[in-house]
Amino acid sequence: MSTKPNRRTFLRRSAVGAALAATSSPWGISQESAKPAALGGAPVRKASFASWPQIQANDKNVWSDVLEKKGWCRLNGDYVKTFEREYAAMLGARDCIATSSGTTALFSSLNALGVGPGDEVIVSPYTFVASVNVILLQHAVPVFVDTDRASFQIDATKIEAAITERTKCIIPVHLGGYPADLDKILAVAKKHNIPVLEDACQAHLAEWRGKKVGTIGDLGCFSFQVTKNLSGGEGGAITGSNEELMDRCFSFHSNGRERKNTYGFQYLHNGVNARMTEFQGAILTQQMTRIEAQAKRRSDNADYLTSLLDPIAGIHPAKLYDGVTQSAYHLYMLRYDPKEFSGLPRDKFKSAMQKEGIPCSTGYSPLNKEPFLDESLNSAGYQTIYGKEYINRWFKNNHLPENDRLCEEAIWFLQFMLLGEKSDMEQIAVAIRKIQQHSSVLAKA
C-alpha cells in the first residue's frame, strides 16, 4: 500500500495547500482568520450539495412503460433481463443475476457456496450490518478480522491467522468503494482452497489492477439501494463466471426454481423470493447511462480533495492500495486526530463542519460489539450447533483494537458531495482549516 506521496506529488500538494491557506474565500474572508459559524461567523457554504438520486426524462419514460404494460414482475417482462445483460457487459462479467437487494445478493451467494451450520465466514468488522446478517441467516459464524486503519479495509495480512478447519468463505468488503487488498486476499484463499465472495455493494465500477471489483473473486455482490452510486431505490446483483454457482444463485433467489424453467413447479433447492421487479430493472437501465460520467467526476473531485486535505495536520484521507486503479468513492473517508485540533472532540468537529454547510458523518460503530451478536450466538440454535465452549471462546477472542480506534476517528463525506465543482472541494478544505485555526476556542465552547 502506498502511504507516502512521491516528491512531485508532495510538492504539488504542498503548493495547493499553501495557495488555499493564503487566498481569500469567494466570500471575501481569509480562511485563516474567519470566525467559524459555530462561533457566530458566516458559514463557508450556504448552498446545498447535489441532490440524490438524480432523475431525468429517460427514467420517467421507462417507469411509465412498465406501468402501462403491466409486466411488473421479471417473469413477464424484459427490463430486468436487459439490465442483467448490460450490467455484466459494463463490468466485464460473464454473468449477472439481479436481486431485490444487496443483502439478498449476498444471502443467495452464501447459499450457493454451501455455507451453513457449523461453518465460519471471515468478514470485516467495518461494514454495513448486512455483510454479517447474511452469515447468521445461514446459521454460520462471522469471524471478524481487524481493520487496516489507513485504508478502512480488512487487514489482509491478518486473514490467514483467522482461518480454521471450519472456514468456508472469505468476504472482503470494498468499503466506501475503495477496493480491499485483493492480491493478498486471493493468495491466502487459493492457498487454503477457500472461496472469495466480494462484497462490492458500495463499489460500482471500482477496479483492481484494471479489472472491475465483483468480477475477481468466485462471486461478487452489488447493491442499488437509494444512496448507492447506481440507484434503483432498492435492488442488487450477483456477478460471476462459474455457471453452476450462478445457476444455484438464481435458483435460491427464485424460490428454488430451475434457472432454465422459471415458470415450472419443480424446485431444485430451498430458496426465497429475492427477484428484482421490472420497475427497478427499468430505472437501473437508464441510471446506467450516466454512471460512467458520474464516476469520473467523483474520482476527479476526490483526487483534488485529497490534494487539499493531505497537508492539513490531523486529517488523514483513506489510503488506496497499490493495486487500485479506480475507486468508486461511494464515500470519501478520512481519519480525524483531535490532538491536531487542540483536543476538539470529533463530535464537536462534526457539528462545526455542519454549521459551515458541510454535511458529514462519523460512520460505523464497532460491528463486532453490537448486541444482536450476543443474542444470536447465545441462542438455543447456535448453542446446539456449536456448543457453549465454542461460543464463549468466540466472545473471548472478539477484540479488534485497530477497528475500535478507526470507529473513534472516522469522518465520511457522501458520494453526492463529489458530483459538484472543484470549488465545492475547496469549500470543504476551507471549512476544516477554519475549524482548526479556532479549535482551541471551539473545544471550550
Side-chain angles (χ1 to χ4, degrees), residues 60-277:
K60 298 177 182 179
N61 292 340
V62 294
W63 180 272
S64 295
D65 187 53
V66 175
L67 187 71
E68 292 170 3
K69 287 181 177 177
K70 299 183 181 180
W72 299 352
C73 173
R74 74 161 293 158
L75 299 178
N76 53 13
D78 295 318
Y79 278 110
V80 173
K81 293 176 184 176
T82 298
F83 169 71
E84 289 172 335
R85 183 173 61 252
E86 293 181 355
Y87 193 59
M90 177 176 282
L91 298 182
R94 178 179 174 182
D95 196 3
C96 173
I97 296 168
T99 62
S100 59
S101 67
T103 303
T104 55
L106 290 164
F107 186 25
S108 301
S109 297
L110 284 180
N111 184 276
L113 290 168
V115 173
D119 294 333
E120 295 174 346
V121 177
I122 290 175
V123 68
S124 168
Y126 198 76
T127 183
F128 183 60
V129 67
S131 305
V132 173
N133 275 336
V134 294
I135 298 169
L136 298 174
L137 285 169
Q138 289 297 108
H139 305 290
V141 169
V143 174
F144 295 106
V145 169
D146 211 352
T147 305
D148 171 15
R149 286 171 45 245
S151 69
F152 286 61
Q153 308 301 316
I154 191 170
D155 189 337
T157 65
K158 297 178 180 178
I159 289 177
E160 188 163 25
I163 292 174
T164 72
E165 68 279 358
R166 290 180 180 265
T167 306
K168 195 64 176 283
C169 182
I170 300 171
I171 302 181
V173 181
H174 304 302
L175 200 281
Y178 299 56
D181 191 344
L182 286 176
D183 284 357
K184 289 186 175 69
I185 293 168
L186 292 170
V188 170
K190 182 178 181 180
K191 177 180 176 181
H192 294 274
N193 194 30
I194 300 170
V196 172
L197 170 58
E198 293 181 77
D199 183 340
C201 287
Q202 297 180 357
H204 313 81
L205 303 190
E207 294 180 358
W208 181 264
R209 303 200 185 280
K211 292 188 66 176
K212 299 290 192 298
V213 300
T215 70
I216 302 169
D218 293 86
L219 293 170
C221 293
F222 296 84
S223 169
F224 310 120
Q225 185 262 353
V226 69
T227 65
K228 299 301 190 292
N229 298 19
L230 179 59
S231 174
E234 292 286 358
I238 305 166
T239 51
S241 59
N242 183 303
E243 185 176 1
E244 181 181 355
L245 273 180
M246 293 298 284
D247 284 348
R248 285 191 66 93
C249 287
F250 185 95
S251 179
F252 183 82
H253 109 294
S254 191
N255 284 314
R257 284 189 171 98
E258 183 182 9
R259 190 175 190 181
K260 296 176 182 177
N261 185 22
T262 57
Y263 292 95
F265 292 97
Q266 297 295 317
Y267 304 100
L268 303 180
H269 313 285
N270 70 311
V272 297
N273 179 0
R275 296 188 296 263
M276 178 179 282
T277 71

Side-chain angles (χ1 to χ4, degrees), residues 5 44 46 53 70 93 166 168 207 214 271 278 337 411 419 421:
V44 166
K46 295 181 180 179
K70 299 183 181 180
R166 290 180 180 265
K168 195 64 176 283
E207 294 180 358
E278 282 290 283
D337 184 355
I411 293 288
L419 291 175
E421 306 299 326

